[in-house]
Amino acid sequence: MTDAMTTATSPYAKCFIPLESDPSVLNDLMYDLGVSKSLALVDVVSIEDPALLGVIPRPALALILVLPTSDGYERHRRSTKKMVEGAGDLKTEAIIWLRQTIDNACGLYAILHAICNFESTGYIPGNREALLNDSVDLETMYTKAAVRGSTLPPPAEDEVDLHYICFLRSPNGSIYEMDGDAIGPVKTDLSLKHNEDLLDASALECVKRCIARGDADMNFSLLALVANLGDSD
């Protein structure tokens, strides 16, 4: 960790090695965190082709988007302050948001946003920031996953140009954009009907908007949290 990372002006308490956006890596971390193997993250290889979308188990309980930290992303993140302030009472929506206090750990925060807001997992930490910052077990589990990728991971202190965010639905169908580097959960202007999930048109529109803000950088990838059809437990 560099001295700059420990200054009072830094939003981060420590640095982690970035996670590779490989479903097997992310799933192993998710299971180590205590999530049931009846769930899995899977690649969404197209948001336009109905045939390719059709092979993904439904319902999709959350989406995790990996996107470039372009100027368009940064403008959007700054603009979300008013959206967060106008979102109303989050207790009514039953949304759990985690402020990112560990640099380069956005993949972890995206996973936590997905599973903490899916009540069947039962994974809702209490003192959230202290748990994440201080847990030796969590850091050990995370590091185990981070070094498993197919590419050599960069040093923890390096700045990377990719970022993970999560999309989820509230109990009343509102679609939220969950970014630990924002100032809170962003309630979008889109929603889902009772029988729709996060691979239906409104949720995919949220993804398309992020891609449009990418300033022609198409280095995006998308994963969905779904039932694990390969689970034999």
Side-chain angles (χ1 to χ4, degrees), residues 84-96:
V84 172
E85 291 172 344
D89 186 357
L90 290 175
K91 292 182 180 179
T92 302
E93 295 273 47
I95 295 297
I96 295 172

Side-chain angles (χ1 to χ4, degrees), residues 2-3 17 26 52 54 84 91 152 155 167 177 186 202 223:
T2 64
D3 289 342
I17 300 168
L26 302 178
L52 292 174
V84 172
K91 292 182 180 179
L152 184 67
F167 291 100
E177 178 183 319
V186 176
S202 292
L223 303 99

Side-chain angles (χ1 to χ4, degrees), residues 3-152:
D3 289 342
M5 293 306 302
T6 59
T7 63
T9 57
S10 171
Y12 303 115
K14 58 171 71 173
C15 309
F16 278 3
I17 300 168
L19 287 174
E20 188 171 300
S21 59
D22 179 334
S24 65
V25 171
L26 302 178
N27 283 328
D28 282 350
L29 174 57
M30 191 167 70
Y31 301 145
D32 283 346
L33 289 170
V35 177
S36 168
K37 290 187 178 180
S38 64
L39 298 174
L41 288 164
V42 299
D43 280 321
V44 179
V45 297
S46 173
I47 58 174
E48 301 286 358
D49 188 329
L52 292 174
L53 284 169
V55 303
I56 300 173
R58 307 291 284 270
L61 306 171
L63 296 179
I64 291 179
L65 178 65
V66 187
L67 72 167
T69 52
S70 63
D71 290 343
Y73 161 76
E74 295 294 349
R75 287 192 298 271
H76 171 68
R77 185 172 63 86
R78 290 192 297 268
S79 75
T80 58
K81 181 177 180 181
K82 290 182 179 179
M83 299 169 71
V84 172
E85 291 172 344
D89 186 357
L90 290 175
K91 292 182 180 179
T92 302
E93 295 273 47
I95 295 297
I96 295 172
W97 176 78
L98 303 166
R99 183 170 67 91
Q100 183 173 338
T101 57
I102 304 172
D103 196 18
N104 287 336
C106 50
L108 169 65
Y109 285 84
I111 291 173
L112 291 174
H113 281 138
I115 63 177
C116 288
N117 286 285
F118 177 56
E119 63 182 6
S120 296
T121 65
Y123 191 90
I124 301 178
N127 189 348
R128 302 162 193 168
E129 289 186 14
L131 172 70
L132 299 180
N133 292 342
D134 301 338
S135 173
V136 175
D137 289 340
L138 176 66
E139 186 163 358
T140 299
M141 288 186 286
Y142 181 95
T143 302
K144 173 187 167 186
V147 299
R148 276 202 55 229
S150 59
T151 57
L152 184 67

Side-chain angles (χ1 to χ4, degrees), residues 162-182:
L162 292 172
H163 186 61
Y164 288 71
I165 64 174
C166 175
F167 291 100
L168 53 86
R169 68 174 294 165
S170 70
N172 70 3
S174 300
I175 301 174
Y176 275 83
E177 178 183 319
M178 308 293 281
D179 182 347
D181 269 350

